[in-house]
Amino acid sequence: MSFDYDLFVIGGGSGGVRAARVAAGETGAKVALAEEDRYGGTCVIRGCVPKKLMVFASEYADMVEDAQAYGWDVKPGAFDWDAFKAKLHAELDRLEGVYRGILKNNGVESFDQRARVVDPHTVELADGTRKSAKHILIATGGRPVVPEFPGSELAITSNEIFHLEKLPETMLIVGGGYIACEFAGIMNGMGVKTTQFYRGAQILRGFDEEARGLICEEMCQNGVDVHLGTNVIEMAKDGDKIRVKATNGTERLFDVVMYATGRAPNAGDMGLEDLGVERGRKGEIVVDEYSQTGVPSIYAIGDVTDRVNLTPVAIREGMAFVETVFKANPTPVDHELIPTAIFTQPEMGTVGLSEEQAAAQEPIEVYATSFKPMQQAFAGRSQRVLMKLIVSRATRKVLGCHIVAPGAGEMIQMAGIAVKMGATKEDFDRTVAVHPVMAEELVTMRHPVRSA
Ligand code: NDP
C-alpha cells in the first residue's frame, strides 16, 4: 500500500518538530507536519523561553541595588514593559522563523492548519484535504486550565501573561506549582505588587519539603504576599479591577488575576475516540514505553501523553520514536532521574528523590547545608541557599540532590550526570572542591544532619 507520507506529525512544538526533522533529515523519510498555531509550541512561544527572558528582566532591579553595594554609582530606574515586550516578541518571531527553517531545510512539508485523524493512516486538515501516512505522530501538547467558579472567565493564564497591554499595579496569582511560583517571582521583580494564593499547606507539592520551605520563605522575604491554605471563592468585575472573594475571609481588588492551576492535554476533538485510541483520566493519550498507542500506526509524544511534562523529555520521546520506527532500533524512553530546574527566585535545581520519598523507600542519610552566599551577603542581603544530598544507607548511592540557590539550574545539570551514573556519596567526597563557589558544599558535607 502506498501512502502520501511515511510520517505525518500533528503539532509543531519541541517534540513534533524534533521528530519530523530527524525522521526526514537522518532517515530520508517523507514527512509532513501540521501546526494550527505558531511553530515552536508552548516552550518557545508561550512557555520556557519567554518565561526565562522575563525572569532575566525581573532580576535586574536587585542587581542594580547589589551593584551599588559593590561600589558602583548606578541608580535604579523604572522598568519599561513596552520596550521589553517589543524585544521579547521580536525574539519569539525570530525563533519561530528558526523552527520553520529547520523543517524546510530538512525537507519536511508543513501545513499551517489544524489536523485530525480520520483513520489509522489518514489525517484530515482543516480545509478538508486528506493525507495518508504510514505512521501518524501526535505531538499536540497541552493547555492551561482554569477551574469553573463564578467569575472564572476574568482570569488570565500563562498564555496571556506575555501579551499584557501594560504592567498591572497589583496582581493575584493562583496555584502553587511551577508556573504560579515562577510568575510570582517574575511579576514581583518587575515591580508589580504580587499576591499568591495556594490551596495547600506548602507551595511546590511533590518537591523536597526543606527546599520548598526555603523557596517560600525567600519569596515572602522578596515581597511576594503568599497566602497558603487559601483559594478563590468568586470573582467579579469592579470598575477596571477584579474583586476577589477568598476562603480566608478577605475580599480584595486586583488589576490582573492569573490562574496557574495545571494543564490539560490537547487530545480532544481529534477523532481519536472513533479510532479506539485510549485516553487516560486527564484526557491524555495512553502510550507504551515506545510512545505507541493501541492503534499500531499511531504514536504520541510530549505533554499530550502527560508523562513528564518537560520540553527536553518531549524531545527525547521524539528521538526515541524515530529510533524505534525509522531506524529499526527499538528504544524505550528513559524517564528515570530527570534533572529539572524551577525558575523561582531563588531558583531550584533538583534530581532524584526528595527526602520524604527516599525515606519512604529505604533507610537514608541526609546531608544538607544552608548558608548565606558570598556575593549576596557582601551586598547586605540575608538570602540563604540550600545544598542537599539524600544518600541510601544500603548502597551509598546519592538518591536525590536538591539545590536552592542562584544558578541552581546550571548546577543541577552537572550534578544530574553523577546521580544518573549512580554516584555514591563517597564519589562526591573524593571530588575536589571548586573554590570559592556555592556548589563546593556538595562535595564537602562530611556528616549527615539526620538519618531516617
Ligand atoms: P502544576 O500541576 O505543577 O501545579 C498546579 C497547581 O495548581 C498546584 O499547586 C495545584 O494544587 C493547584 N491547583 C490545581 N487545581 C486547582 C484548583 N481547582 N484550585 C486551586 N488550585 C488548584 O501545574 P502548572 O500549571 O504550574 O505547570 C504544569 C506543568 O508544566 C508542570 O507540571 C511542569 O511539568 C511544566 N512546567 C515546567 C517548568 C520548568 O521546568 N521550569 C516551568 C513551567 C511548567 P495542589 O498542589 O494542591 O494539587
Side-chain angles (χ1 to χ4, degrees), residues 147 176-179 182 198-199 205 231 260-263 309-310 341:
Y178 280 80
I179 298 179
E182 290 181 339
Y198 172 52
R199 63 182 179 180
R205 184 165 61 84
N231 213 343
T261 48
R263 296 174 61 86
N309 299 332
L310 298 170

Side-chain angles (χ1 to χ4, degrees), residues 106-188:
N106 283 281
V108 176
E109 195 176 339
S110 44
F111 297 95
D112 295 355
Q113 313 180 36
R114 189 175 169 79
R116 61 198 303 277
V117 187
V118 291
D119 72 41
H121 293 286
T122 310
V123 162
E124 186 179 83
L125 296 168
D127 67 5
T129 320
R130 290 189 171 198
K131 301 283 180 191
S132 64
K134 187 164 184 211
H135 304 283
I136 294 169
L137 178 67
I138 302 172
T140 44
R143 62 183 187 286
V145 282
V146 178
E148 286 213 7
F149 62 90
S152 61
E153 72 285 352
L154 298 172
I156 63 162
T157 69
S158 57
N159 282 352
E160 289 78 45
I161 192 86
F162 307 108
H163 299 276
L164 290 174
E165 280 292 316
K166 60 182 176 63
L167 215 51
E169 260 174 49
T170 58
M171 182 163 174
L172 170 67
I173 297 178
V174 182
Y178 280 80
I179 298 179
C181 296
E182 290 181 339
F183 276 100
I186 290 170
M187 301 319 286
N188 180 56

Side-chain angles (χ1 to χ4, degrees), residues 308-366:
V308 180
N309 299 332
L310 298 170
T311 294
V313 176
I315 290 173
R316 287 269 161 146
E317 290 166 357
M319 304 279 279
F321 158 79
V322 175
E323 278 295 317
T324 303
V325 175
F326 290 95
K327 295 188 179 177
N329 175 26
T331 306
V333 186
D334 179 3
H335 289 108
E336 291 300 308
L337 293 172
I338 295 170
T340 177
I342 306 165
F343 296 98
T344 37
Q345 298 173 29
E347 195 169 305
M348 162 144 81
T350 174
V351 63
L353 301 178
S354 66
E355 178 180 341
E356 297 71 37
Q357 290 163 338
Q361 173 184 298
E362 62 182 275
I364 55 161
E365 281 177 2
V366 178

